[in-house]
Amino acid sequence: MAYSVTIGGCTRSFGDLKILLAKATPARSGDALAGIAAENEEERALAKMALAEVPLVRFLEELLIPYEQDEVTRLIVDTHDAQAFAAIRGLTVGEFREWLLDPATDIETMTRIAPGITPEMAAAVSKLMRNQDLILAAQKCRVVTRFRNTLGLPGRLSVRLQPNHPTDDVRGIAASMLEGLLYGCGDAVIGVNPASDSLQAVTRLLEMMNAFRERYDVPTQTCVLAHVTNTLRAMERGAPVDLVFQSIGGTEKTNRSFGVSRKLLEEARAAALELKRGTVGDNVMYFETGQGSALSAGAHEGVDQQTCEARAYAVARHLKPLLVNSVVGFIGPEYLLDGKQIIRAGLEDHFCGKLLGLPMGCDVCYTNHAEADQDDMDTLLTLLAVAGVNFVMGVPGADDVMLNYQSTSFHDALYARSALGLRRAPEFEAWLERVGIADSRGDLLGTGAERKLLPGASEWLG
């Protein structure tokens, strides 16, 4: 079915919904690389006008990737909640934008309709929004998850403590963990990207991080971001696995390139639940995504990269994760050229994920060959914190020496919390006060709390 718009007696048509969504997307290098982007701003504006008139029900009738061909499409269709969708069923994409921004549409309403929104609907409405619209609408979406603490509550900003090391040296990792805790970071998760994906290395890191957490009785969760198959094997050997991590994408081909399927992820979640390691909840999955991953794998099926990203959120939503984050600038300038594109993509990803009912965080980051710098990241961090992002990264010095990219630091989290009056997860905040790192308001004390912690770390620090 073609979609048309007429301006000044001239009609412009777009061949199908997939083409229309791609042409309506704000400019980004990945779509240009794929040959599906609008040729100019005039075509982009016309596509947005045509998209605004598309009924939301059309996304249930015209599938971007055939049902028979793609298990992500099947998941989206088979799990769609028609009852939740009923409240917005009669709207067009443009009217949906107005409905989202209406002051009468509150947090309770957004939570109620989330199961009725498909990723394609979320992506479509985001394409019609300015940055301020993405922020304002995302503020209305609150997604709370629990494992050893409670994440996503109003007025809270959590941090993943990311103590990566280029050789998986446990002393270096433990030192970064200790530093992060002293800065009040780590309530989202203490999560390490292993330099080696060997089962032995993964198990060693899991055991060290768990012993470290238990030594100080920290109410948080740990995770080694290994491939899900290695995490399954580690669980079989009795390793102390809190969260199961996996990168996911928005098409079956993308997930196949990652070596995963819906069935495998369901198996991993069931195995983690069997361990019963959570104390306040049972959200046991951690997913990372990123615009451009499907295109880089040659698996985007002609769908624009932002819509592919939103489709990945359907996979995540099905598995009830504790954490989901878009590693927004990590993939490089071939897909998001510069700071402006990274900022826009980060706001889109956060909005779409929250709209679909996900506990969204963001790795506010860039690679050194992108046309971006730390000022751009300061801007995106601030905007996401205003929008109610669940968590961001805490990397020593903002420079990940193992993955070789720039992210946000422990100090950046302090800035965001101070500027906007945001607090940590309540259980983690109480622990910080108990051990003397912070006061009852969450402000760091700087009164030598490290003297209490360092003796217990001697077995790791040497």
Side-chain angles (χ1 to χ4, degrees):
M1 173 180 174
Y3 298 86
S4 302
V5 60
T6 300
I7 298 292
C10 297
T11 299
R12 180 61 185 268
S13 294
F14 301 90
D16 59 25
L17 198 52
K18 186 188 299 188
I19 293 172
L20 179 63
L21 287 168
K23 299 294 187 182
T25 304
R28 61 208 53 195
S29 51
D31 290 338
L33 178 65
I36 59 175
E39 294 182 4
N40 50 49
E41 289 301 322
E42 179 182 357
E43 184 180 33
R44 184 169 290 112
L46 292 171
K48 288 183 179 182
M49 294 174 68
L51 180 60
E53 300 302 318
V54 176
L56 291 180
V57 293
R58 189 67 195 147
F59 293 94
L60 300 175
E61 301 163 350
E62 184 179 340
L63 304 178
L64 302 188
I65 306 174
Y67 183 92
E68 302 78 13
Q69 178 181 323
D70 185 86
E71 74 169 6
V72 178
T73 297
R74 292 193 290 275
L75 177 64
I76 292 168
V77 173
D78 295 346
T79 61
H80 181 252
D81 189 329
Q83 185 175 353
F85 182 58
I88 56 173
R89 182 179 179 85
L91 302 181
T92 64
V93 176
E95 291 168 342
F96 186 35
R97 172 187 172 274
E98 294 173 2
W99 184 87
L100 290 170
L101 297 174
D102 189 326
T105 303
D106 56 17
I107 292 175
E108 291 73 22
T109 304
M110 299 285 266
T111 302
R112 190 166 55 250
I113 69 161
I117 302 171
T118 69
E120 292 85 355
M121 294 174 195
V125 74
S126 75
K127 297 175 193 297
L128 304 184
M129 290 177 147
R130 293 172 57 185
N131 287 357
Q132 63 179 261
D133 299 338
L134 297 171
I135 294 167
L136 186 61
Q139 278 186 338
K140 301 181 182 185
C141 303
R142 282 291 165 188
V143 184
V144 178
T145 55
R146 296 175 174 87
F147 188 76
R148 284 200 189 89
N149 56 23
T150 306
L151 304 174
L153 293 170
R156 307 276 174 169
L157 172 65
S158 295
V159 176
R160 169 189 161 190
L161 204 174
Q162 184 170 309
N164 294 345
H165 192 280
T167 64
D168 288 338
D169 184 274
V170 294
R171 293 174 301 171
I173 291 171
S176 293
M177 289 168 63
L178 184 63
E179 181 187 18
L181 290 173
L182 289 169
Y183 278 105
C185 294
D187 50 342
V189 64
I190 301 175
V192 172
N193 297 89
S196 168
D197 206 28
S198 74
L199 181 58
Q200 181 181 3
V202 169
T203 302
R204 183 175 67 252
L205 291 175
L206 284 167
E207 290 173 347
M208 183 277 286
M209 294 167 69
N210 183 66
F212 189 106
R213 182 194 60 77
E214 288 185 336
R215 169 66 179 79
Y216 298 119
D217 193 27
V218 188
T220 190
Q221 32 286 327
T222 61
C223 183
V224 175
L225 282 68
H227 192 271
V228 62
T229 53
N230 262 354
T231 304
L232 273 167
R233 291 167 64 199
M235 283 191 278
E236 291 169 359
R237 294 190 177 192
V241 173
D242 288 345
L243 306 182
V244 175
F245 167 82
Q246 183 55 48
S247 296
I248 55 173
T251 71
E252 181 178 340
K253 286 184 178 178
T254 306
N255 288 325
R256 197 182 304 146
S257 76
F258 290 149
V260 300
S261 65
R262 171 181 170 179
K263 181 180 178 181
L264 177 61
L265 294 173
E266 289 172 344
E267 177 188 344
R269 177 174 182 268
L273 287 171
E274 282 294 315
L275 299 180
K276 295 182 172 60
R277 292 178 57 81
T279 56
V280 298
D282 62 357
N283 298 114
V284 297
M285 304 299 286
Y286 174 16
F287 296 116
E288 286 190 345
T289 65
Q291 288 193 30
S293 61
L295 176 58
S296 69
H300 64 107
E301 305 279 14
V303 179
D304 69 89
Q305 66 181 39
Q306 190 251 332
T307 302
C308 273
E309 171 74 1
R311 282 171 55 92
Y313 302 155
V315 179
R317 177 167 64 175
H318 174 64
L319 294 156
K320 300 177 175 59
L322 180 76
L323 306 165
V324 180
N325 73 270
S326 165
V327 192
V328 66
F330 184 73
I331 199 164
E334 299 84 359
Y335 306 94
L336 294 170
L337 178 65
D338 53 21
K340 181 176 182 179
Q341 291 189 12
I342 293 171
I343 289 168
R344 173 70 192 191
L347 295 176
E348 289 169 347
D349 295 349
H350 176 253
F351 162 76
C352 287
K354 282 289 186 63
L355 188 60
L356 293 167
L358 287 176
M360 287 301 296
C362 186
D363 191 343
V364 178
C365 63
Y366 65 101
T367 58
N368 289 314
H369 63 309
E371 294 295 325
D373 58 28
Q374 209 63 46
D375 285 338
D376 295 316
M377 299 306 102
D378 288 350
T379 299
L380 179 54
L381 172 63
T382 306
L383 295 176
L384 285 169
V386 171
V389 70
N390 279 30
F391 69 103
V392 294
M393 306 299 124
V395 177
D399 182 8
D400 193 305
V401 296
M402 195 278 280
L403 293 174
N404 293 309
Y405 78 117
Q406 309 303 309
S407 184
T408 45
S409 71
F410 306 143
H411 300 80
D412 294 329
L414 289 177
Y415 145 73
R417 285 170 171 152
S418 177
L420 298 170
L422 301 171
R423 304 186 70 158
R424 302 167 182 87
E427 300 89 343
F428 189 82
E429 193 170 70
W431 176 81
L432 291 175
E433 182 181 2
R434 189 166 66 248
V435 299
I437 294 175
D439 61 21
S440 61
R441 297 172 300 178
D443 295 331
L444 297 184
L445 293 173
T447 55
E450 68 276 4
R451 288 195 294 271
K452 297 181 181 179
L453 303 184
L454 279 172
S458 59
E459 64 182 283
W460 300 291
L461 300 179

